[in-house]
Amino acid sequence: MSTMTLNAGEAVPAQKEATQPVAEQTEVKSRAANPNSQVDGTVGSPFCDDAKLRMRNVNVFYGESQAIHDVSLDIGRNQVVAMIGPSGCGKSTFLRCLNRMNDTIEGCRVEGELSLDGEAIYGPKVDVVPLRARVGMVFQKPNPFPKSIYDNVAYGPKIHGIASRRAELDEIVENSLRRAGLWNEVKDRLDKPGTGLSGGQQQRLCIARAIAVSPEVILMDEPCSALDPIATARIEELIDELRENYTIAIVTHSMQQAARVSQRTAYFHLGKLVEVNDTETVFTNPEHDLTEAYITGRFG
Amino acid sequence: MTDLTQSNLTQKQVRERIEARLASRHRKEKIFRGFGIASIAFGVLAVLVLFTDIISKGSSAFVQTDIQLQVTYDPAALGIETVDEESLAWANFDAVIRNALRERFPEVTGRRDKRELYSLVSNGAGFELRERLQENPQLLGKTETLWFNADDDVDTYVKSLSKSKEGFLGRTSEQKAQWILALRESGELEKRFNTTFFTNGDSREPEQAGIRAALVGSLFTLLVTLVLSFPIGVAAAIYLEEFAPKNRWTDLIEVNINNLAAVPSIVFGLLGLAIFINFFELPRSAPLVGGLVLTLMTLPTIIISSRASLKSVPPSIREAAMGMGASRMQVVLHHVLPLAMPGMLTGAIIGMAQALGETAPLLMIGMVAFIVDVPHGITDPSTVLPVQIFLWADSPERAFVERTSAAIMVLLAVLITMNTCAVWLRKKLERRW
């Protein structure tokens, strides 16, 4: 804990007086004049009424070291929530808790209450297979399977037994590719390997693959970090379209991207959730000094 | 910072220092490359010498000196009246051969000379005749002209004639040599393709000895080894790599697997003798036991190489599949295994090649026994190629020298075929992905 505080001190050179008002719901006790002091709670509005995903007092440990400290957050239905913060602040770790991808990491331990539509994600009887079908994921690096484009998209429906007939599967594949905005580019080469596409196309293929199983939530872990601005713009458009049907949590290093695609933004700092607010508020009038320091580019 | 960039050296001085060392750098690089080329040249030379030696020594084993004789299936000489199983069993076919030889060389008299004359033809000739008569009973009482394998001494002498004018007589007497030359002159003796070598099992008589039994034995043994070691090895590797928790126990297992890979193979032979033969009372000299022992020996190799190829599958593929909600088994079967398969196959082939050439552990479980019959199953007594080579190399007859080299050529041919199959399989699997 003490090292965390120390690191915070190094990372935040700003010496700034905090003047913003304290948000109502959180138990923000002290926002000391010196932002170097440890973050005691979350400011802003981490909770919402129509929550798809509800996280309360989440702590994540990698062996002995704690990566996430007491994070509470709601992700609203059909909402895009962006998670921003400097590298190593735990936003990806937090994201991966939501579909239990952290289970695969040796020595990773998750504490706290996480629920999807009121059902505990880490409940003793929860099977990760249907959970991950409900909570899809798109990764930082495009990672299509070394199979044909068709098989990439059809893989999820196949393993979950969603399509009963070939025609039905064809339809799912086409719809998913259309929704990912890739259909026109690949419809003539569905049998060609997915790895032969360009980076942006590969990432859209991964999105098509994720939505092929009709998930309720899509988690995106820096989906555009390996892409050029044009491909990024394409993906961002796509995210905006997808919002109608899906709840999306996106981790991003690009603050502009967070500002463009999300309705709410959560700022993480050294494993703690510092501030959650409407995206506009975060970027125009941040409550916490650390948030302001980060979005104005003083560190990160 | 400033000290480093603005040191006392001017740019010109720096350039000069670099230039000064340039020549020696180039020289070192040349020497380094030279070493590489020299090593490869040495390797190629060694292989060339080995192959020329083996082929020059062994190629003559693929031909065999045959002698043409006019044989009469004389019922009186045979001592039978009709052709049936019983009479064939004790009919004197050697007498028919002897008669034929005496007819060809009527001038030979005297016991010793006659015995000398009879030894021109392999003593397996009688069996050939019996088989022929058994298949064609109507031949009884008739005369026909047939080719028979010459005795190995005749064979050695005839083959040595092509190298020097006098040839290598060895145990062959001057008189016998005269007969041989006479037969050769009249075209009744010639070198023909040695089918016996590929159809027979081992024999004390070189001209009747063949590689078939050892080859079939080797194939049976390898089959058992492959069927057991590949699935077990791959399953073990997958479990250790994909499912097992990383703790002290799995560390211990890993260390032990690595140690097992370094255990001398004869130890596995002793283990096989103690466990499979003495405890489980499996048949001795059988490809089944040989395969079991070789399985123990190749398992570590296969496990280690399979784990290495599983490790080389990018984790992003696993994450992608897992993120789609694939179960762990589906992740492994659908994504990891197909990508790791080419590497696993390479490991398996290396293991199989090792197993094919292994002799020591098989000596311990009795595969070194003198076995004449071609095995028909994995529990029949048999021998294997390297053991056959070892046995022939140990035999005093001169004609076994070339057969030893020929057996080595067969072994190498099997190896090359196996490797070719593996490369082809790899290519095929890799293209699919």
Side-chain angles (χ1 to χ4, degrees):
Chain A
M1 201 64 139
S2 58
T3 46
M4 291 286 172
T5 323
L6 211 84
N7 284 340
E10 283 166 9
V12 187
Q15 301 284 324
K16 189 173 165 289
E17 288 296 316
T19 47
Q20 271 88 20
V22 174
E24 67 291 88
Q25 296 178 19
T26 45
E27 13 121 64
V28 181
K29 286 175 211 127
S30 67
R31 285 201 23 252
N34 185 358
N36 291 356
S37 64
Q38 68 177 66
V39 184
D40 283 326
T42 308
V43 299
S45 48
F47 308 122
C48 58
D49 299 332
D50 188 19
K52 181 81 187 166
L53 284 157
R54 199 179 284 276
M55 282 77 75
R56 291 290 178 275
N57 309 100
V58 175
N59 288 295
V60 181
F61 303 86
Y62 288 121
E64 292 298 303
S65 68
Q66 191 168 2
I68 300 279
H69 298 261
D70 200 29
V71 168
S72 297
L73 178 68
D74 281 349
I75 296 177
R77 208 171 295 277
N78 296 1
Q79 198 176 49
V80 178
V81 174
M83 301 178 191
I84 58 170
S87 294
C89 68
K91 50 196 191 306
S92 288
T93 299
F94 184 69
L95 191 76
R96 290 165 64 98
C97 292
L98 304 183
N99 69 345
R100 292 185 60 170
M101 282 301 280
N102 281 339
D103 287 15
T104 59
I105 296 167
E106 202 81 30
C108 181
R109 204 168 82 245
V110 178
E111 286 172 4
E113 293 162 33
L114 294 95
S115 62
L116 172 65
D117 281 335
E119 296 163 38
I121 292 174
Y122 280 83
K125 282 183 189 158
V126 172
D127 188 349
V128 294
V129 167
L131 172 72
R132 287 181 189 149
R134 290 176 69 190
V135 185
M137 188 154 191
V138 177
F139 296 86
Q140 183 171 2
K141 234 181 86 195
N143 54 357
F145 299 128
K147 297 183 176 203
S148 72
I149 294 170
Y150 182 92
D151 286 339
N152 260 287
V153 183
Y155 183 69
K158 264 187 201 162
I159 58 169
H160 295 300
I162 292 169
S164 52
R165 284 171 296 111
R166 174 82 189 186
E168 215 175 340
L169 191 61
D170 288 348
E171 208 181 298
I172 292 175
V173 170
E174 185 179 335
N175 278 337
S176 307
L177 284 169
R178 271 190 201 286
R179 259 147 75 198
L182 195 61
W183 176 251
N184 288 331
E185 291 160 62
V186 299
K187 63 182 173 198
D188 300 323
R189 46 169 175 157
L190 288 174
D191 55 339
K192 294 284 180 318
T195 41
L197 297 172
S198 75
Q201 287 175 323
Q202 284 190 16
Q203 195 62 298
R204 275 181 283 152
L205 178 62
C206 291
I207 293 172
R209 185 176 65 186
I211 59 181
V213 292
S214 306
E216 295 155 37
V217 181
I218 301 175
L219 310 176
M220 296 185 170
D221 191 356
E222 297 178 43
C224 301
S225 66
L227 305 182
D228 65 59
I230 296 166
T232 302
R234 190 73 201 76
I235 304 268
E236 284 177 9
E237 263 172 53
L238 180 59
I239 292 170
D240 214 41
E241 287 161 22
L242 291 174
R243 182 160 63 90
E244 287 177 26
N245 301 307
Y246 307 98
T247 303
I248 296 172
I250 179 169
V251 164
T252 178
H253 267 297
S254 154
M255 281 173 274
Q256 292 89 334
Q257 183 170 59
R260 283 191 298 258
V261 301
S262 69
Q263 281 78 54
R264 285 168 76 223
T265 298
Y267 173 66
F268 283 76
H269 188 86
L270 295 170
K272 285 171 191 159
L273 183 54
V274 176
E275 177 169 353
V276 188
N277 257 324
D278 288 345
T279 300
E280 215 185 310
T281 316
V282 170
F283 285 102
T284 53
N285 189 18
E287 279 182 42
H288 201 288
D289 308 325
L290 282 171
T291 318
E292 182 168 352
Y294 181 70
I295 63 165
T296 50
R298 255 172 284 167
F299 67 90
Chain B
M1 194 83 154
T2 43
D3 283 359
L4 280 171
T5 47
Q6 299 180 349
S7 61
N8 305 334
L9 293 170
T10 63
Q11 282 183 338
K12 192 160 173 277
Q13 280 172 315
V14 170
R15 181 88 27 91
E16 274 167 6
R17 287 191 182 185
I18 294 174
E19 299 272 339
R21 287 202 53 208
L22 216 52
S24 97
R25 274 160 74 177
H26 283 314
R27 199 172 55 245
K28 275 180 189 157
E29 187 160 328
K30 254 185 204 150
I31 292 171
F32 187 71
R33 269 198 242 173
F35 267 125
I37 292 169
S39 330
I40 289 173
F42 179 76
V44 169
L45 190 75
V47 169
L48 273 181
V49 168
L50 179 78
F51 271 68
T52 359
D53 182 59
I54 290 170
I55 291 173
S56 68
K57 274 190 193 148
S59 56
S60 56
F62 295 118
V63 290
Q64 158 75 31
T65 311
D66 284 1
I67 294 175
Q68 193 187 45
L69 285 178
Q70 208 164 25
V71 289
T72 309
Y73 300 94
D74 181 10
L78 286 166
I80 56 171
E81 273 145 31
T82 51
V83 179
D84 54 61
E85 204 132 306
E86 199 192 340
S87 60
L88 276 174
W90 54 271
N92 190 355
F93 287 97
D94 288 347
V96 174
I97 303 281
R98 282 186 211 137
N99 285 345
L101 279 165
R102 272 204 305 276
E103 265 169 49
R104 175 62 185 78
F105 295 101
E107 70 277 10
V108 180
T109 51
R111 269 176 77 98
R112 185 174 291 179
D113 288 351
K114 275 186 186 165
R115 198 185 294 158
E116 187 92 27
L117 180 68
Y118 300 154
S119 72
L120 274 176
V121 176
S122 162
N123 58 13
F127 299 108
E128 269 176 65
L129 269 188
R130 174 189 294 166
E131 270 166 38
R132 187 148 174 83
L133 191 61
Q134 194 167 18
E135 278 161 33
N136 313 289
Q138 75 280 6
L139 282 172
L140 190 66
K142 301 217 172 76
T143 302
E144 66 172 342
T145 310
L146 287 176
W147 286 95
F148 295 97
N149 284 345
D151 189 63
D152 60 306
D153 287 332
V154 178
D155 188 45
T156 309
Y157 174 62
V158 172
K159 279 173 183 167
S160 68
L161 283 175
S162 57
K163 285 182 197 132
S164 64
K165 205 153 172 358
E166 299 86 44
F168 172 81
L169 276 172
R171 290 192 294 184
T172 316
S173 65
E174 283 291 338
Q175 191 185 22
K176 201 166 161 185
Q178 295 297 320
W179 296 331
I180 292 169
L181 291 174
L183 282 169
R184 199 161 81 133
E185 208 64 30
S186 63
E188 286 164 285
L189 180 147
E190 50 178 62
K191 284 191 271 184
R192 308 169 116 214
F193 181 69
N194 189 358
T195 46
T196 317
F197 186 71
F198 295 99
T199 55
N200 274 24
D202 197 8
S203 170
R204 292 277 182 244
E205 303 295 330
E207 75 274 7
Q208 291 171 45
I211 199 75
R212 176 98 178 256
L215 186 63
V216 174
S218 261
L219 292 181
F220 276 133
T221 310
L222 275 189
L223 192 75
V224 174
T225 311
L226 185 70
V227 164
L228 289 175
S229 65
F230 191 63
I232 295 176
V234 169
I238 288 175
Y239 182 76
L240 285 174
E241 203 55 50
E242 304 285 335
F243 294 94
K246 305 273 174 288
N247 56 27
R248 214 183 301 161
W249 291 110
T250 44
D251 281 350
L252 192 74
I253 290 171
E254 184 167 352
V255 168
N256 275 307
I257 288 171
N258 290 341
N259 281 342
L260 276 181
V263 169
S265 56
I266 191 134
V267 176
F268 286 110
L270 280 168
L271 187 80
L273 177 65
I275 291 177
F276 299 130
I277 293 180
N278 285 351
F279 187 73
F280 287 107
E281 296 185 345
L282 291 173
R284 237 162 294 179
S285 312
L288 174 66
V289 181
L292 283 168
V293 169
L294 293 178
T295 299
L296 295 180
M297 207 197 72
T298 48
L299 260 180
T301 317
I302 293 183
I303 293 176
I304 290 169
S305 67
S306 297
R307 288 189 69 175
S309 65
L310 284 172
K311 267 197 195 107
S312 69
V313 174
S316 67
I317 297 294
R318 289 191 185 86
E319 284 207 319
M322 224 123 55
M324 291 302 302
S327 67
R328 262 179 145 170
M329 198 190 80
Q330 285 172 327
V331 172
V332 171
L333 291 187
H334 298 167
H335 302 286
V336 179
L337 205 53
L339 288 176
M341 203 35 111
M344 288 178 167
L345 277 178
T346 312
I349 285 299
I350 292 171
M352 287 296 113
Q354 221 181 344
L356 177 65
E358 201 54 71
T359 323
L362 302 181
L363 301 183
M364 302 307 302
I365 56 150
M367 290 190 101
V368 72
F370 175 71
I371 286 146
V372 179
D373 294 319
V374 177
H376 293 288
I378 54 168
T379 50
D380 284 356
S382 75
T383 187
V384 290
L385 284 169
V387 175
Q388 188 67 76
I389 291 166
F390 167 74
L391 283 171
W392 283 351
D394 222 24
S395 297
E397 283 88 350
R398 235 185 134 72
F400 273 129
V401 175
E402 57 182 30
R403 278 171 177 78
T404 306
S405 293
I408 293 171
M409 283 160 73
V410 171
L411 179 66
L412 289 176
V414 173
L415 261 179
I416 290 168
T417 315
M418 263 170 61
N419 287 344
T420 315
C421 283
V423 170
W424 175 77
L425 216 60
R426 270 189 72 149
K427 281 266 147 56
K428 202 168 169 250
L429 284 173
E430 270 175 351
R431 214 181 303 144
R432 259 187 61 204
W433 288 85

